[in-house]
């Protein structure tokens, strides 16, 4: 088979209708065996809880082509585990890790021609989702569920190399202290669209969300986690029950500690103490790391390393993690899942 005739390096993060997607139905207490289909639309009951009450979850992960031509996934078991904890929080049936990873494998293999070749900087983005469906009207857990996985090739996040961007502290909250902040649910995102629009309108890449109880500590950077490198060289990331636990963040924490012997800390990060950091970044699957140039708060822009250049520690963490994801740098045990 040949790869699709796409200009891989020019792709953006946008929807593309690829050839196959996986779909499985849950009914009467059990999942069916699931299958690949070609149709990119779903027909569901107008009473589906996913439509009315936000009973839905999603995930995001990528497939990479290695230098030797094989295709691999990065820590798909962690996405499966996170979807399970999201399912528990929203009273949805769990998708087992085995079923989740198998669905990803099937989708990647069936769409092999869309997995960008090594060296293009592009990847195949996978979007697993779990939704409550079936005839219903009252506020309760759905009678039926659909678990699906679809995919599309996405381009390198930074086309001209990594560049820092500025963020502004939002006056809106993204999650309640004991709400669904740690669950990967669409409801968290619907409420973030307007704050994002406000930040973008003012010329910032996105919002910094503070902790919803005291508004003194950093929680999230848009739809990504925050990390800072202290002036003493420690890797610091906020700890809070309303932060979405980013797999990229925990991978960077491990790389910082084990590969670079840096001190690592998960603890409070006070918005009034940004001076403790020499560098800062936002992390998530889409960009891996977005260097933070500055944060606008209380009428002034606090600049970290530089508004135009990525800091040296951020750069080496990025290069190492991306190297692991493409199979160029030796991965910790269990981080790589071969698809073929
Ligand atoms: C998905 C997500 C992240 C990033 O998680 P990764 O596992 O690193 O992709 C961070 N914050 C929010 C709110 C998210 O939804």
């Amino acid at each position: 088979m040949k790869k699709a005739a796409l200009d891989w390096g020019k792709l953006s993060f946008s929807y593309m209708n690829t050839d196959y997607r996986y779909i499985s139905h849950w009914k009467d207490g059990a999942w069916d065996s699931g299958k690949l289909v070609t149709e990119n639309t779903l027909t569901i009951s107008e009473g589906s809880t996913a439509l009315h009450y936000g009973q839905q979850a999603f995930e995001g992960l990528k497939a990479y082509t290695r230098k030797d031509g094989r295709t691999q996934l990065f820590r798909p078991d962690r996405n499966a585990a996170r979807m399970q904890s999201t399912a528990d929080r929203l009273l949805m049936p769990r998708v087992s890790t085995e079923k989740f990873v198998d669905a990803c494998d099937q989708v990647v293999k069936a769409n092999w021609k869309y997995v960008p070749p090594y060296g293009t900087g592009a990847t195949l983005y996978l979007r697993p989702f779990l939704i409550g469906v079936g005839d219903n009207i009252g506020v309760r857990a759905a009678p039926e569920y659909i678990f699906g996985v679809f995919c599309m090739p996405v381009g390198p996040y930074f086309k001209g190399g990594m560049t820092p961007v500025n963020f502004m502290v939002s006056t809106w909250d993204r999650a309640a202290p004991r709400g669904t902040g740690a669950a990967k649910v669409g409801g968290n995102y619907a409420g973030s669209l307007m704050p994002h629009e406000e930040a973008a309108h003012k010329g910032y890449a996105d919002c910094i969300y503070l902790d919803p109880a005291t508004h003194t500590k950093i929680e999230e950077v848009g739809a990504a986690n925050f990390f800072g490198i202290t002036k003493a060289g420690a890797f610091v990331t906020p700890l809070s029950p309303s932060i979405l636990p980013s797999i990229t963040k925990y991978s960077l924490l491990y790389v910082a500690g084990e590969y670079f012997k840096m001190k690592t800390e998960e603890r409070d990060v006070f918005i009034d103490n940004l001076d403790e950091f020499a560098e800062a970044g936002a992390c998530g699957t889409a960009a891996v790391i977005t260097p933070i140039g500055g944060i606008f708060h209380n009428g002034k822009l606090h600049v970290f390393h530089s508004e135009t250049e990525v800091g040296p520690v951020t750069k080496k963490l990025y290069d190492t993690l991306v190297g692991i994801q493409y199979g160029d740098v030796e991965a910790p045990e269990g981080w790589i899942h071969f698809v073929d």
Side-chain angles (χ1 to χ4, degrees), residues 250-332:
Y250 283 109
S251 303
L252 287 169
L253 189 103
Y254 185 90
V255 165
E258 299 300 316
Y259 287 54
F260 296 110
K261 306 297 170 209
M262 291 165 64
K263 207 175 151 211
T264 60
E265 300 169 12
E266 269 191 282
R267 53 133 166 112
D268 290 342
V269 172
F270 290 95
I271 190 68
D272 286 331
N273 196 24
L274 295 179
D275 264 340
E276 66 172 321
F277 300 115
E279 299 177 31
C283 53
T285 296
V288 184
I289 291 177
T290 304
I292 301 179
I295 292 179
F296 186 79
H297 177 57
N298 276 348
K300 76 177 224 302
L301 183 73
H302 177 95
V303 176
F304 295 96
H305 178 73
S306 150
E307 277 186 84
T308 51
E309 270 166 55
V310 52
V313 180
T314 303
K315 181 79 171 76
K316 81 179 180 191
L317 290 173
Y318 175 86
D319 287 343
T320 305
L321 185 57
V322 170
I324 291 170
Q325 291 173 331
Y326 280 99
D328 294 333
V329 173
E330 197 179 339

